[in-house]
Amino acid sequence: MIERITKVIISFLAISALITTGCATTTTNVRQHSTLESQLIDVDSVLVVTPAVTIEKINFSDQNERMTELENDLKQQLITLANEKLTEKGFEVVKFDIEKAIEEDEQLAYAVTQAREGFQEAKKTLYDSSLTQQQMQNFKVSVGTAVNIVSEKSGADAVLLLHYSGQRKSGGSVAKDIAVGVLVGLLTGYAPVSSFEASIVEAAFIDGVTGDVLWSNIYNSQALNIQPAKLLMDSFPQDIDSITQAAPGVKKEGATVNVTGEDIEQTAL
Amino acid sequence: MSFFSEILKNTAALFALCLLAGCTGATHIKALSKDSNNNYSESDKLLIASLKKQSDDLHIELKKRGLIYSDKESNEYISSLGRNLAPEFMTGGNVLKFYIIKDATANAMALPNNNIYLNIGLLAVVESEAQLATILAHEISHVIQQHSLKSRLNRQETILAANIADIFLLGTGLSYLPAISNISSFSREQEKDADLLGLKHLRNAGYDLNQAPDVFKVFQTLPEVTTIEGSAYSSHPQNKQRIELIEKVVNEQYTGYNPHHKESEAFTKIRKKVVETHVKIRLHNNQYELALNTLDKAEAYYSKAALIQFYRAEAFRLKADNPRKAAEEIKWLYPEFQETKNIEYFIKNKPANYQKAESLYNDAIKMNPNLSLSYRGNGLLNYSNNNYTAALSNLNKYLELNKKPEDSLYIKRLIRNINRKLGSKHND
């Protein structure tokens, strides 16, 4: 019996060690629509939807606390970063007070929620572990046409959804981790150290008309600041206007675009 | 090995002690009453304030996300039903507040700030006002008994104890397994309390108590019942036990009671109102079978037959468009069919599903030639099948009949794409 329990514990330790090692590296997960370039022909202006930011302080008891001050601070920094990055990439950022509009318009608020939920659902396909490298750069997923309402009301051709979630361990939680580390170290000679803080940033660039996810990226990090978001946004696609300058064969509205598979995915209602 | 065995033995003993300690809390919290005088400790007061703040924040979040169903008539109806069930001391001012949420699951919840939320999915499945009142009475009982506070106190102590035990289990997290089951068993006790106290509220308001177990019988017929986590109404065995207990209590403790409450017409009216939103949420969530299930039930009370046929058609079209999602739903609802009704099955059945959808759209058009949505559906279906001329005609008809469609940008883009395709065909 004792041997069985020992085996179970050793297996858990091995898995924990793997997880800990896995978490120690930062990874990027860029996904791109199969016909991104042709889709971008219709995208000039972008609305930055107020980022959803959740930061929790992990306490020794289960009474975790929301770190609202840090949340608000990061929210502002994310908006500034997105505005700068979109402009740098050649897009026009639409000036529309989405937060105020959501407060006054239940239909708009619900449409944004549906778009966010749609992306959470789309992530299952986009980040399916069985995807090949080629598939990662060549997908077609839609969050649904609810996003039409957002586009219609803001006048933007596309929307950018941002989600930042993070956690910081309290002194008690860190002490517990250290105690566990010491005990594990004594027994195995290897002491797993989990990080004091961590974050996941997600971004989804969505066609406001079709609801297609044009580009998305997820960034895991052991930092709780704007830096992971900066790295995430580095791979944001360039506006087609810049590509047009580079490749004169591709033109805006009304021109012949020789790109195959231009059809709109109909996952939406 | 002897050193390791010693550690494990000591850990097991400590672990047991810690868990026992975790089970003892919250007995000092009393139920709310007319003349209740709860002498809360300072730490309890802090916890109550924190729970209320969390509840208020959650409400703000629900509102911000547009998830509160804001139909005035529906909300007034639910509130008046709730106030009629609650004891007098809970009805003054704004003690209890009732809301409907845009969630398709058959569920309800009571928060520590005395807010009670009913899901649209619940309103769509209950079959009578008495059944709806049973759920409301149950949730009101949770509030009066201060179940949130009690379970939070118990949970806090259990988690703290489990945390200590976890250190000695070398951070494996094994100690949390019993801790979690401890929490859920406690919840079942609270659910039972709420069921039985709910009966008293139902009796005081004059409802037919024989209908109380019926609502749990309705839950048992729902395909998703065993698959929703965290719902008080989602477990088959639990529902079966509840039905038996409620029937027993009604027969033994309420003999000679004569109900006097009469069903109001408002119930049917509100049900009709929410059913369309319910189906739309189901379809948005890629729950095609569940949408069809709702529509089958709605046929009994929903008079807009054309709209029912339209939404049925939507379910079949979307199934054909999204074979992967259709297969995922089957796997979720009916794991026994996951081998036979897998993604390949839905890919193979694409033409049949499109055909079924087309026939249903046409039925809807026959019933109501002005139902613009059916033309939209047919247009999208034609587009998927590369039948561009028919798609163009149907989508234009949709825009002609519906002057302000929510998805005008999408449809206009499709029409533009179709024109390009047709243009290039002509050029060829």
Side-chain angles (χ1 to χ4, degrees), chain A residues 73-223:
Chain A
D73 188 30
L74 274 168
K75 203 179 276 183
Q76 286 313 314
Q77 288 189 57
L78 282 167
I79 293 171
T80 309
L81 170 73
N83 285 350
E84 282 171 9
K85 196 52 89 175
L86 288 167
T87 311
E88 186 189 309
K89 296 280 181 179
F91 295 97
E92 178 206 336
V93 180
V94 171
K95 301 262 180 283
F96 179 75
D97 190 346
I98 181 87
E99 198 135 20
K100 191 167 173 248
I102 277 173
E103 270 173 32
E104 291 163 359
D105 185 343
E106 181 198 329
Q107 191 199 26
L108 178 67
Y110 191 49
V112 170
T113 298
Q114 285 190 306
R116 284 195 195 281
E117 283 176 357
F119 179 62
Q120 292 310 313
E121 191 59 33
K123 263 167 49 185
K124 291 179 192 164
T125 310
L126 295 173
Y127 296 95
D128 182 337
S129 56
S130 64
L131 285 186
T132 62
Q133 275 296 326
Q134 198 194 354
Q135 284 169 325
M136 285 178 193
Q137 299 306 318
N138 196 18
F139 67 82
K140 246 178 149 186
V141 181
S142 167
V143 300
T145 51
V147 76
N148 256 208
I149 297 168
V150 186
S151 249
E152 190 108 48
K153 295 199 171 175
S154 66
D157 302 321
V159 297
L160 178 68
L161 300 179
L162 288 161
H163 185 206
Y164 190 114
S165 60
Q167 59 177 53
R168 178 175 288 161
K169 285 183 182 171
S170 68
S173 270
V174 173
K176 182 197 146 191
D177 287 352
I178 292 169
V180 169
V182 169
L183 282 172
V184 172
L186 279 173
L187 288 165
T188 63
Y190 167 78
V193 181
S194 56
S195 61
F196 166 61
E197 51 186 32
S199 62
I200 300 175
V201 197
E202 297 173 358
F205 183 39
I206 293 160
D207 186 318
V209 176
T210 62
D212 281 7
V213 179
L214 302 174
W215 167 93
S216 75
N217 195 1
I218 298 180
Y219 206 94
N220 300 309
S221 167
Q222 290 186 3

Side-chain angles (χ1 to χ4, degrees), chain A residues 60 63 106 113 263 267 269, chain B residues 65 70 102 163 376 421:
Chain A
F60 188 66
Q63 285 262 62
E106 181 198 329
T113 298
D263 299 2
T267 52
L269 270 175
Chain B
R65 292 186 185 195
S70 62
K102 293 175 195 163
N163 239 327
R376 176 193 188 271
K421 283 175 197 289

Side-chain angles (χ1 to χ4, degrees), chain B residues 144-157:
Chain B
I144 294 173
Q145 292 302 309
Q146 304 214 75
H147 281 162
S148 315
L149 178 61
K150 286 178 189 170
S151 62
R152 188 58 189 252
L153 280 167
N154 274 338
R155 187 162 170 252
Q156 203 177 6
E157 288 167 15

